[in-house]
Amino acid sequence: MEIMTGSSRSNNNKLMKEEEEEEEETADVSSTICCFFCAMKERNPCRRRSALAGFFDNMPRRDDEADVLVLSALWNIAMTRPDDPELPSLGALRCMSLLIAKAIADPAWLRCHQNVYIPYYAAHVLGSYTIRLPELAALAVDAGAVQPLLDLLRGSITWVEQRVAVRALGHLASYDVTFPAVARRREEVVELAMRAASTCLARVHSELVAAEPGDRVEYHRDLLTRGLGGPEAEVRRAEEWASQLQCWSLYLLCCLAHRDTPCRHLILRREAGFVRELSGMWGGLANGDSPAGVGLMRILCRSAEGRAAVARSAEAMESLCNLARSSDDWQYMGVDCLLLLLDDRKTRRVALEIAAPCLVDLAELETLGARKRIGDAITKTLLLDYDATKMAGETAAQRAIKFLWELKVERKNRESRMSEEEIAARSLLSSSRKRRGNEEFRSGSVEAAVIRYGEALEVCPVRSRKERVVLYSNRAQCWVLMREADAAISDATRALALARPANRHARSLWRRAQAYDMKHMAKESLLDTIMFVNVLMTEKKKKKQQQQWRSNYDCNAITIPYYAARMINKQMNAAGLFAGLADDDTNKKKKTMNCPSPSPSPSSSTSEIKLSIDCSVAESLDDLSYRR
C-alpha cells in the first residue's frame, strides 16, 4: 500500500484547488465573454468553446440588431472552412435551424433591424457545413434542420432563401447516413423540388429582372451585388442565381430518384408535363458544371418506367438528340440516354425512328471525355437484329441504318480484302473528285459541288480519316449556302466525330453553328460558336509561338473573328435563361395596350439576313485556301 506523504497531499490539494478555480471560470465565462467575436478571439480553448456554445444556445431567444453581423461572419467561416467541425459541434447548426424557424413563425421579428438577412445566411451556413462531410450532415439532421429548410423551399419567404435551402437539402440527400431523414418526407420534398425547378425562372424574372430597379426588393439587391455594379449587374447575378436554384433543385431530385424507387414514381407521376419541361432545363453558361435536366433524365432512363415516359415525350426525345449531336460537355449523357432507350425492346421501336439519324452521325466517334469506343457502342446498338428487321422502307431511320451497315460492315469487309495498291488507287480517285468539287464550288455551282464531294466520299477509303473530315466539312459548307440546315448539321457532325480529338475541327464547328442558327436553335449554335473560337484561338496561338523566335509577335494578341463575335452576341441574347420569358412579357404588354404585334421591319429582317450572309461569305473565302 502506497503511503502518501504530507508533501504529496499538499500538492494534490493545490491541483484540486486550481481545477476547481478553472471550472468556476469556465462556468462563468458566458458572463465575462458576451460577444461572438470576442469568443472567437479567446485563446483559452475551454473558455472559447464554452462561450461559443452559450452564445449559440442563447442567440435564437434574443433580439439583437448585431445578429446579422454574426450571421455574415458565420457564413464566411462556413464557406472558407466547411470541414472544420468546431462550430457545428458547439451548436451552430441547431442555432441556424431555430433562427430559420423563428423567421418563418414571426414576421414581425423578421422586419426588425436587419433580421431579413438572417434566414438566407442561416440556410447558407447549413448548406456549407454539409457540403463535404457526412458527419456534419448528420449533426444538421440531429439539429432539426430538415423541416426549416423545407419551409424555405416551400417559398415561405422568397426565392433567395429557396435557393440556399434546396442546396442544403441536396447535400443532406446525398449521404447514406442522412438520406432517410429527407426521404421520410419524400412526397413533400419531390413536389417542392419539382415546383421550384419548373417555376423558379419565371419567378425570378417577374420579381427582379422585369421589375424596375426602384421596385426590386432592397435586400435582394444587396445580396446579389453587395451594392456594386448597378441594375445591370443585378440582372446578370439574378440569372446566375436562378440557374443555380433550378440546377440544385434538379440535383436534389437526382439524389432522390437514384436512391429511392418511390421517389422515381412520384417524379414520373407528372410525366406529361415535367419530363417535357426537364428536357429544356440546360442550366445555362453560368452552370457549366451541372448536367441540369439531362442528369435527372439519365437516371430516369435507367428504369423501365422512366424509359417509357421519356420515349412517349417527343420534346424529350428531340432534346436528347440535339444534345447528343452537340459540343456540350454533357453530350455523352444524351448518347447514354438514347442507347438505354434503344436497348429496351419496349421503347426501341419508338426511339429508333427519332434517334437513328442522329446516332448514325456519331458512329465513328472514338472517345468523349473518359468514354472510350463510344462509336462502336452506337453501331452495335443500331445494328442489333439488322438482318431480321431490315425492310425496304424509306423512312429516315431506315435509310440511316442502311447507310451505317454499308459503311461499318460491308465497306469495311470489302476494303479489308483490297491490296495496298487498290487502296491507293481509290485514294487518288477520291482526291480527283474532291478537286472537281472544289472547282465547282469556286465557280458558284454549289449543287454540283455537293454531288462531287458525295462521289469522293463513296470511294475514299474508310481508313483515310483526315480526308473524310475535309470532304464532310466541305459538303456541309455547301449545304449551308443552299440553306439545307439538317443536311449541314449531319455532315458537320460526321466530320466532328471523325476529328481527333472529337469536336475540335474548327470549320465544321462554324458550319454547324450556322446551320443551327438557321433552325433558330440558339443554345446549340452558341456552344458550337464558342468551341469554334476556342479551337481557332488555340491553333493561332500555336502558329504564333512557332514564329515568335523569328519575330516580335505577341502570342497573346489574338482577336476573335468579327463574324464569330456577332454570332455569340446574337445567340447569347436568344439562349439566355430569361429570353423566352422576356418575349412573353413583351407580348402581354402589347395585348394589354391593345396594340397589334407589328410585322418585322425591313431593316431588322435585312440585318438578320445580312448577318447570315456575312458569316457564310467570310467562311467560304477562308475555305478556298484550305481546299486542295
Side-chain angles (χ1 to χ4, degrees):
M1 182 175 180
E2 184 179 353
I3 300 175
M4 184 177 292
T5 64
S7 170
S8 299
R9 283 195 296 270
S10 174
N11 288 337
N12 262 354
N13 291 336
K14 185 177 179 180
L15 288 172
M16 291 176 64
K17 185 175 181 181
E18 289 176 355
E19 288 177 0
E20 289 174 359
E21 289 175 354
E22 185 174 344
E23 288 177 0
E24 289 175 2
E25 289 178 359
T26 302
D28 195 47
V29 75
S30 58
S31 61
T32 58
I33 300 180
C34 58
C35 171
F36 170 80
F37 299 100
C38 297
M40 291 294 293
K41 294 177 183 178
E42 173 60 39
R43 295 182 179 181
N44 185 313
C46 293
R47 290 166 59 86
R48 169 190 169 94
R49 291 177 61 84
S50 180
L52 288 172
F55 181 86
F56 289 134
D57 182 60
N58 183 53
M59 188 179 186
R61 295 194 293 269
R62 70 177 194 175
D63 184 14
D64 191 322
E65 62 181 358
D67 283 349
V68 68
L69 298 178
V70 174
L71 265 291
S72 178
L74 270 174
W75 170 71
N76 276 299
I77 294 169
M79 289 284 287
T80 55
R81 302 200 299 270
D83 298 340
D84 186 350
E86 182 187 31
L87 298 183
S89 66
L90 296 176
L93 301 183
R94 178 165 179 76
C95 177
M96 299 303 104
S97 303
L98 292 174
L99 286 173
I100 295 172
K102 182 177 181 179
I104 294 171
D106 190 356
W109 174 81
L110 193 63
R111 289 192 292 267
C112 288
H113 312 307
Q114 289 186 306
N115 293 345
V116 70
Y117 293 89
I118 287 178
Y120 171 84
Y121 283 128
H124 221 313
V125 169
L126 289 170
S128 296
Y129 274 124
T130 56
I131 194 170
R132 293 179 185 168
L133 298 181
E135 297 83 3
L136 297 186
L139 279 179
V141 169
D142 293 340
V146 174
Q147 186 57 54
L149 291 173
L150 280 177
D151 290 336
L152 291 182
L153 181 57
R154 190 178 291 108
S156 299
I157 302 182
T158 70
W159 64 271
V160 167
E161 292 80 14
Q162 206 175 25
R163 165 181 167 267
V164 287
V166 75
R167 169 177 175 256
L169 286 168
H171 296 160
L172 297 179
S174 66
Y175 301 114
D176 292 336
V177 66
T178 53
F179 176 79
V182 181
R184 277 195 291 270
R185 316 279 185 85
R186 60 173 57 87
E187 290 195 13
E188 184 180 13
V189 176
V190 168
E191 180 61 31
L192 291 175
M194 290 171 67
R195 186 190 308 165
S198 298
T199 64
C200 63
L201 299 185
R203 184 177 182 184
V204 175
H205 183 267
S206 64
E207 294 182 12
L208 191 139
V209 177
E212 295 295 329
D215 296 334
R216 295 172 184 172
V217 179
E218 183 177 356
Y219 86 95
H220 286 182
R221 301 176 67 182
D222 290 341
L223 290 173
L224 285 166
T225 64
R226 306 290 174 183
L228 303 174
E232 292 184 2
E234 292 166 8
V235 171
R236 288 195 298 270
R237 181 55 68 86
E239 183 172 5
E240 180 182 344
W241 280 22
S243 175
Q244 290 173 349
L245 173 52
Q246 186 176 71
C247 289
W248 290 342
S249 299
L250 293 171
Y251 176 73
L252 174 57
L253 290 170
C254 284
C255 293
L256 296 168
H258 175 68
R259 293 170 174 268
D260 191 54
T261 301
C263 286
R264 284 200 301 272
H265 295 330
L266 291 170
I267 294 171
L268 293 170
R269 185 184 297 171
R270 283 174 48 190
E271 63 163 271
F274 189 66
V275 171
R276 182 176 64 250
E277 295 171 9
L278 196 63
S279 60
M281 298 179 185
W282 72 290
L285 295 177
N287 261 323
D289 59 345
S290 170
V294 71
L296 178 55
M297 196 172 291
R298 186 171 65 157
I299 291 174
L300 296 178
C301 284
R302 289 173 179 164
S303 67
E305 184 184 12
R307 289 191 293 272
V310 173
R312 283 195 291 269
S313 172
E315 293 88 347
M317 290 297 301
E318 182 180 359
S319 175
L320 289 174
C321 289
N322 292 337
L323 176 63
R325 204 163 50 172
S326 76
S327 53
D328 195 300
D329 288 342
W330 308 109
Q331 177 187 5
Y332 72 90
M333 285 196 176
V335 175
D336 284 351
C337 290
L338 293 175
L339 293 182
L340 287 169
L341 292 167
L342 293 175
D343 285 334
D344 187 339
R345 293 191 175 275
K346 293 183 178 179
T347 56
R348 179 179 176 84
R349 184 181 61 81
V350 175
L352 199 63
E353 289 299 317
I354 302 175
C358 159
L359 290 176
V360 165
D361 294 339
L362 303 168
E364 295 188 89
L365 270 173
E366 279 194 356
T367 61
L368 277 178
R371 303 300 182 93
K372 308 294 184 183
R373 304 178 66 86
I374 194 166
D376 291 343
I378 291 171
T379 301
K380 181 180 178 181
T381 301
L382 287 176
L383 296 182
L384 184 67
D385 299 331
Y386 175 75
D387 290 331
T389 58
K390 63 181 179 180
M391 297 177 289
E394 285 298 322
T395 67
Q398 290 165 344
R399 287 195 299 270
I401 293 174
K402 183 180 179 181
F403 167 82
L404 182 62
W405 175 267
E406 292 174 352
L407 175 68
K408 301 282 279 188
V409 180
E410 294 182 355
R411 192 164 164 183
K412 185 178 180 180
N413 292 337
R414 222 170 27 243
E415 292 184 6
S416 66
R417 296 190 295 268
M418 291 181 182
S419 64
E420 290 299 321
E421 291 77 9
E422 290 176 302
I423 293 293
R426 291 176 70 86
S427 295
L428 287 173
L429 180 58
S430 174
S431 297
S432 174
R433 291 178 176 178
K434 184 179 74 170
R435 282 195 297 273
R436 291 179 62 189
N438 293 346
E439 292 169 1
E440 298 283 6
F441 183 87
R442 290 189 186 97
S443 66
S445 301
V446 180
E447 295 86 349
V450 167
I451 296 173
R452 300 302 175 220
Y453 291 138
E455 291 172 349
L457 283 165
E458 288 177 2
V459 297
C460 187
V462 174
R463 70 171 74 170
S464 301
R465 181 180 55 79
K466 292 183 179 180
E467 283 297 311
R468 294 173 64 219
V469 169
V470 173
L471 287 168
Y472 276 125
S473 187
N474 286 357
R475 192 167 70 172
Q477 175 63 23
C478 296
W479 292 126
V480 169
L481 295 176
M482 294 167 63
R483 312 295 293 181
E484 295 286 347
D486 289 327
I489 291 168
S490 178
D491 275 352
T493 302
R494 291 179 185 183
L496 290 166
L498 283 165
R500 301 291 181 267
N503 296 329
R504 293 299 186 276
H505 188 251
R507 289 176 176 82
S508 298
L509 284 165
W510 175 243
R511 288 156 187 169
R512 193 171 66 175
Q514 290 176 282
Y516 279 135
D517 181 46
M518 293 178 198
K519 299 189 70 174
H520 305 289
M521 297 171 65
K523 169 197 164 186
E524 289 77 11
S525 179
L526 173 61
L527 294 174
D528 275 358
T529 307
I530 291 173
M531 184 67 74
F532 162 71
V533 170
N534 288 338
V535 174
L536 200 63
M537 295 299 99
T538 301
E539 291 176 355
K540 287 184 177 180
K541 191 169 185 178
K542 286 181 180 178
K543 290 179 181 178
K544 287 196 173 186
Q545 285 173 340
Q546 291 170 359
Q547 297 173 353
Q548 193 172 21
W549 66 275
R550 291 181 296 181
S551 62
N552 294 322
Y553 282 142
D554 180 5
C555 292
N556 296 316
I558 301 175
T559 57
I560 296 175
Y562 176 63
Y563 56 88
R566 291 183 68 184
M567 181 72 86
I568 290 174
N569 183 60
K570 174 186 177 181
Q571 304 303 6
M572 285 190 71
N573 291 330
L577 293 181
F578 299 133
L581 297 170
D583 293 340
D584 290 343
D585 282 353
T586 302
N587 293 333
K588 287 179 181 177
K589 288 179 180 178
K590 289 176 182 177
K591 290 180 179 179
T592 303
M593 297 171 63
N594 295 320
C595 294
S597 300
S599 58
S601 64
S603 59
S604 63
S605 176
T606 304
S607 176
E608 290 185 7
I609 294 172
K610 186 176 185 299
L611 170 61
S612 179
I613 291 175
D614 285 348
C615 296
S616 297
V617 170
E619 177 60 12
S620 300
L621 294 173
D622 182 51
D623 186 69
L624 291 178
S625 61
Y626 177 71
R627 296 168 188 269
R628 60 188 184 279

